Amino acid sequence: MIDLLKKFIESNWVIEKAVRELVERLPLRFRYGISYGPTFRHWLGFLKESEKWDRDRLEAYQLEHLRALLIYAGNNVPYYQSLFQEYGFMPEKVQSPKDIEVLPYLDRRTVQEKKQQLISANVPARALIPLYTSGTSGVPLVIYATKETEEKHWATIVDLWGRIGYTPKTKVVFFTANIRRGKKENLPWNKYGNTLVLSSNYFSDEWIDKYVELMASFEPEYLIGFPHTIAVFCSHMRNRSRNSISRSLKGVILYAENIYEWQIGIIRDVLGVRVLYDYGMVEKVIHAGSCEHSVAFHLYPQYGFTEYLSLNDSTYELVGTGFINYAMPLIRYKTGDLCSKARKVCAKCGRYYDTFTEIDGRMGDYLITADEHIVSVYLDTDFSVLEHIQRFQLYQDLPGRVELKIWPADLFHFGEARRILHEIKRSLGSNASKIRFDIILMDNMKSQTTGKYRMVDQRLNIRNFL
């Protein structure tokens, strides 16, 4: 019945817009069942309280919840039941986080291949929420979570963004690639309630001027998007001698990618507001971000336990064990993301959170069209249907020419390659016609020493096209 109602609402954009407007007028506790339920409110309050704890109390909390997660996994998750038995690991005897170092690391490939065994037998199938990602890796992945998991995750984001004044009632502009309204796709913009959504697929001089006019009328307080997307937008504004959006603008929130000084320079030069960094992942093992006074990444100790796998004297790979997703626990998960040596406290805000200055491993996924425009690649397809593909990658070294490389698994058929190409073109909208794609089937897999794959192997320098 709910699915039929959803299809009816999405069948007509006028109906959909009316429903969205109605929902936005409701009190927060009645909006978006998953986002603002009781778990959200409890977790948000807990984060506010526990950010004042000292290091000893935070470490005690982590040990308690690490042990609880391990015991649960050993009792309810088939993968860990077999793993613990194989290694003679007894989670109830864990006395220190170091005790888990006897267990092997969990990588993305294992999660992809063993996903059914990683799902808790104690969670009803109807309660599972599938989350799809290829991240920046091009390795299709499905993570299963629950309503409670999603509420805790969203509460963590709201707490983080709140460090520069954001609230769920705040007016925001959200940049994305493919905008849908009902059955229509690749629209230039959409608006509902306190959110204005703008498509990066329409970054042309004509549309930049229209976007600035839309924002001036909308009066947003924050812009949210990928670093390279907002940097490109600001570059267009600078080239058009447009150096303001609205007096109401308070900040910019960047997420999902590496953040470079030249990007921050363009954003601050054009917009003149504060910038906050947000680091998270669909796998939900680690979450971090800036504080009120520093751009350094602060890891949330309440969200999970983080290990630092040393690669050399100054570089570490982030390895996470998440506390918030009991539906599909990931223990000692190798993220492939790199950081510098972490400090144990932020001297500026006083939180006893691990902090570091930068994260490496997340390059922006963008392509260059034949007419030398920069377009974002963001795929939101159901990757579970691509079960016969190990990995895919877009390779570009010339504007307007891209190779789609496919690493097939057993039982692969060429229709799956066409499905990926269709989804890529769908995300690019009208810009897809400005790029020639060639599909190439590969017969082996090689990665960087960190094990981090790239969905886009981009050999063109984005700064040459700004």
Side-chain angles (χ1 to χ4, degrees):
M1 182 64 183
I2 293 177
D3 289 340
L4 289 175
L5 180 60
K6 182 180 178 182
K7 288 180 180 179
F8 170 72
I9 292 173
E10 293 180 346
S11 66
N12 187 300
W13 74 269
V14 176
I15 297 174
E16 182 183 3
K17 183 175 184 295
V19 170
R20 283 185 179 274
E21 293 286 357
L22 176 61
V23 169
E24 290 291 338
R25 296 172 191 270
L26 295 173
L28 288 179
R29 65 182 182 276
F30 296 124
R31 293 190 214 169
Y32 321 122
I34 285 180
S35 299
Y36 298 105
T39 302
F40 167 87
R41 296 191 294 274
H42 170 78
W43 189 254
L44 184 59
F46 169 68
L47 292 177
K48 299 293 186 187
E49 173 196 348
S50 56
E51 71 178 6
K52 303 170 187 175
W53 291 356
D54 61 23
R55 189 77 190 184
D56 288 344
R57 191 171 180 185
L58 287 171
E59 289 180 350
Y61 172 90
Q62 286 202 307
L63 177 58
E64 176 188 351
H65 286 265
L66 178 62
R67 186 190 301 116
L69 178 77
L70 292 166
I71 291 172
Y72 178 89
N75 290 333
N76 297 284
V77 182
Y79 176 82
Y80 294 114
Q81 289 173 332
S82 298
L83 186 71
F84 293 175
Q85 184 176 11
E86 178 184 351
Y87 282 82
F89 181 74
M90 303 180 70
E92 64 275 5
K93 293 189 176 181
V94 168
Q95 298 298 315
S96 165
K98 287 187 173 295
D99 293 345
I100 69 172
E101 293 178 4
V102 300
L103 298 173
Y105 294 116
L106 180 66
D107 59 25
R108 192 179 183 95
R109 179 66 58 198
T110 302
V111 175
Q112 183 191 48
E113 295 174 351
K114 306 285 187 182
K115 64 176 180 290
Q116 293 302 323
Q117 297 175 42
L118 282 162
I119 299 173
S120 171
N122 198 40
V123 178
R126 65 180 181 277
L128 294 173
I129 301 172
L131 308 169
Y132 307 106
T133 179
S134 66
T136 54
S137 68
V139 179
L141 201 64
V142 183
I143 300 295
Y144 291 93
T146 63
K147 178 178 182 291
E148 289 71 24
T149 300
E150 291 301 282
E151 288 189 20
K152 286 184 177 182
H153 177 68
W154 178 232
T156 305
I157 292 173
V158 170
D159 178 74
L160 173 61
W161 293 1
R163 293 174 186 173
I164 61 169
Y166 170 89
T167 75
K169 296 181 180 180
T170 299
K171 279 189 173 184
V172 299
V173 170
F174 186 82
F175 287 93
T176 188
N178 187 6
I179 296 177
R180 302 176 183 177
R181 185 189 296 143
K183 295 182 178 180
K184 295 183 178 180
E185 293 186 308
N186 286 303
L187 301 171
W189 65 278
N190 198 7
K191 176 183 172 295
Y192 48 89
N194 59 0
T195 302
L196 175 63
V197 188
L198 303 179
S199 173
S200 57
N201 286 342
Y202 286 79
F203 279 2
S204 63
D205 289 342
E206 176 188 1
W207 275 104
I208 291 295
D209 288 342
K210 291 182 179 179
Y211 284 169
V212 171
E213 292 172 6
L214 281 170
M215 285 189 277
S217 175
F218 184 66
E219 297 186 332
E221 295 178 61
Y222 299 93
L223 306 186
I224 303 172
F226 296 153
H228 83 267
T229 298
I230 296 185
V232 170
F233 173 75
C234 289
S235 177
H236 276 285
M237 285 188 62
R238 183 178 60 186
N239 294 339
R240 301 284 291 170
S241 299
R242 304 292 294 262
N243 57 4
S244 66
I245 292 175
S246 171
R247 292 181 180 179
S248 61
L249 192 67
K250 297 178 180 178
V252 173
I253 299 169
L254 306 176
Y255 68 95
E257 299 172 352
N258 292 354
I259 301 170
Y260 299 104
E261 284 299 322
W262 66 265
Q263 294 171 329
I264 301 303
I266 290 175
I267 293 169
R268 287 178 173 162
D269 180 53
V270 173
L271 301 179
V273 295
R274 294 181 59 185
V275 178
L276 181 132
Y277 306 164
D278 182 344
Y279 168 77
M281 61 194 70
V282 169
E283 295 93 325
K284 294 181 173 59
V285 295
I286 298 174
H287 208 97
S290 314
C291 72
E292 299 86 344
H293 312 290
S294 167
V295 295
F297 290 94
H298 297 50
L299 287 177
Y300 274 96
Q302 308 91 330
Y303 196 92
F305 175 70
T306 302
E307 300 173 76
Y308 303 92
L309 176 60
S310 179
L311 301 179
N312 55 49
D313 291 341
S314 60
T315 306
Y316 302 82
E317 180 176 355
L318 291 168
V319 177
T321 298
F323 293 160
I324 73 169
N325 188 13
Y326 273 57
M328 190 175 178
L330 300 183
I331 298 169
R332 306 201 79 199
Y333 179 74
K334 295 179 69 176
T335 66
D337 295 327
L338 311 181
C339 71
S340 54
K341 187 175 180 60
R343 297 178 180 272
K344 297 299 183 182
V345 64
C346 175
K348 294 186 177 180
C349 72
R351 293 181 180 87
Y352 286 92
Y353 292 3
D354 284 8
T355 64
F356 40 82
T357 54
E358 61 183 29
I359 294 175
D360 189 20
R362 296 184 163 200
M363 303 301 293
D365 291 333
Y366 64 89
L367 299 174
I368 307 298
T369 63
D371 57 356
E372 300 191 345
H373 278 85
I374 302 166
V375 293
S376 297
V377 183
Y378 176 75
L379 306 183
D380 58 356
T381 187
D382 177 354
F383 287 109
S384 64
V385 303
L386 305 177
E387 57 185 354
H388 304 128
I389 288 178
Q390 298 181 65
R391 176 192 167 211
F392 64 93
Q393 183 183 64
L394 296 167
Y395 174 87
Q396 183 173 37
D397 59 9
L398 291 172
R401 295 289 300 273
V402 173
E403 293 179 355
L404 171 56
K405 299 179 179 180
I406 305 286
W407 282 261
D410 293 340
L411 303 179
F412 167 81
H413 57 87
F414 202 76
E416 290 181 296
R418 287 194 291 267
R419 169 69 185 274
I420 293 177
L421 182 56
H422 170 76
E423 292 298 329
I424 292 168
K425 288 184 174 181
R426 185 173 64 85
S427 78
L428 297 174
S430 60
N431 289 302
S433 63
K434 303 173 185 177
I435 298 175
R436 172 180 166 179
F437 291 90
D438 297 309
I439 297 176
I440 300 176
L441 298 184
M442 312 296 289
D443 58 4
N444 64 342
M445 293 186 67
K446 294 181 181 180
S447 69
Q448 298 168 333
T449 56
T450 64
K452 185 76 170 185
Y453 297 105
R454 302 288 192 198
M455 183 173 73
V456 178
D457 183 359
Q458 181 56 264
R459 301 304 176 94
L460 300 174
N461 190 336
I462 189 174
R463 299 179 70 176
N464 294 334
F465 300 92
L466 292 176

